[in-house]
């Protein structure tokens, strides 16, 4: 039978301490130098997110895989998919072209809204979340600003509310929401 040699207690800890004896002062020096860029203890904790608002409209993109991956960090949360039809456009069509055209536009927007909500809801892992869908008509920024305080986070497309360009990669509606909403807003 072969004899098994066992290292004396403390040998490994002595080796580890000897190997890393110069690391601690360097680590403290790095922490001091990069203090502004390192996370604080509070920032290391994952915030409690139970209610998530995802506004959608005709310009919005579907949530990306990164967004869905982010959502999986908060299983059991409630997600509201809110499709908003621009009420101002409906009013302008009614005043310039007529009531029938405004109703036709509204009907098409409702169909598009239902399809978009179904499509986005299908991409979310519904076994992990409670997903609710809702359609509204009105001012896109005002509606989000009014209801945002009932949620823990807003996840919004950069294109929400208007077309974007190379010089303006975020729509003006999203910029307004970012300035007026007091809860965290994630852009995708």
């Amino acid at each position: 039978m072969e004899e098994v040699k066992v290292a004396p207690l403390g040998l490994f800890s002595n080796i580890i301490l000897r190997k890393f004896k110069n690391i601690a002062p360097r680590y403290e020096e790095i922490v001091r130098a990069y203090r502004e860029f390192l996370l604080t203890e509070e920032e290391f904790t994952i915030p409690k997110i139970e209610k998530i608002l995802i506004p959608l409209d005709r310009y919005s993109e579907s949530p990306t895989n990164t967004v869905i991956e982010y959502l999986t960090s908060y299983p059991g949360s409630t997600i509201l998919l809110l499709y908003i039809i621009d009420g101002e456009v409906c009013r302008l069509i009614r005043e310039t072209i007529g009531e029938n055209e405004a109703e036709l536009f509204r009907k098409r927007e409702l169909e598009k809204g239902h399809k978009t909500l179904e499509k986005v809801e299908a991409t979310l892992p519904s076994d992990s979340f409670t997903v609710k869908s809702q359609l509204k008509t009105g001012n896109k920024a005002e509606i989000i600003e009014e209801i945002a305080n009932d949620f823990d986070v807003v996840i919004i497309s950069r294109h929400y509310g208007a077309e974007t360009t190379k010089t303006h990669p975020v729509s003006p509606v999203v910029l307004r929401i970012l300035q007026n909403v007091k809860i965290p807003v994630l852009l995708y």
Side-chain angles (χ1 to χ4, degrees):
M1 184 171 188
E2 195 173 309
E3 185 179 326
V4 177
K5 291 186 177 182
V6 179
L9 289 176
L11 176 65
F12 293 119
S13 62
N14 286 341
I15 291 173
I16 291 170
L17 287 175
R18 197 171 350 140
K19 180 144 178 92
F20 295 105
K21 71 179 179 186
N22 295 328
I23 297 296
R26 283 186 56 209
Y27 178 74
E28 291 172 6
E29 183 181 312
I30 291 169
V31 168
R32 262 186 267 120
Y34 294 98
R35 181 179 43 218
E36 296 168 7
F37 304 106
L38 298 174
L39 296 175
T40 63
E41 291 292 325
E42 295 85 29
E43 292 170 331
F44 270 122
T45 59
I46 296 175
K48 188 175 181 181
I49 305 271
E50 294 177 344
K51 295 176 79 178
I52 301 167
L53 174 63
I54 302 178
L56 300 164
D57 71 348
R58 63 174 25 243
Y59 303 105
S60 299
E61 297 172 326
S62 292
T64 61
N65 289 337
T66 306
V67 170
I68 293 169
E69 190 175 312
Y70 171 81
L71 291 173
T72 59
S73 301
Y74 304 102
S77 59
T78 301
I79 300 172
L80 176 61
L81 301 174
L82 180 60
Y83 189 95
I84 302 176
I85 299 169
D86 195 333
E88 185 65 19
V89 172
C90 292
R91 185 186 66 78
L92 287 172
I93 291 173
R94 186 179 307 111
E95 290 177 2
T96 55
I97 303 174
E99 185 64 39
N100 291 340
E101 293 298 322
E103 189 57 36
L104 185 62
F105 173 78
R106 184 168 159 63
K107 189 176 177 181
R108 285 185 187 149
E109 281 294 304
L110 282 172
E111 288 174 16
K112 185 171 181 66
H114 284 293
K115 286 181 183 173
T116 301
L117 290 172
E118 288 173 7
K119 180 180 160 194
V120 172
E121 195 170 338
T123 62
L124 300 175
S126 59
D127 56 332
S128 302
F129 312 104
T130 303
V131 180
K132 298 177 181 175
S133 298
Q134 194 173 1
L135 271 160
K136 281 192 174 191
T137 301
N139 184 302
K140 295 178 178 185
E142 286 178 5
I143 290 174
I144 301 303
E145 290 165 2
E146 285 174 15
I147 66 170
N149 289 333
D150 296 336
F151 293 87
D152 300 315
V153 66
V154 176
I155 301 175
I156 193 166
S157 168
R158 294 175 192 277
H159 309 289
Y160 175 78
E163 294 282 342
T164 58
T165 62
K166 286 182 181 176
T167 55
H168 297 89
V170 178
S171 81
V173 176
V174 173
L175 288 175
R176 177 184 160 172
I177 291 169
L178 286 171
Q179 292 170 345
N180 295 323
V181 169
K182 293 184 172 76
I183 62 170
V185 178
L186 298 177
L187 296 180
Y188 66 91

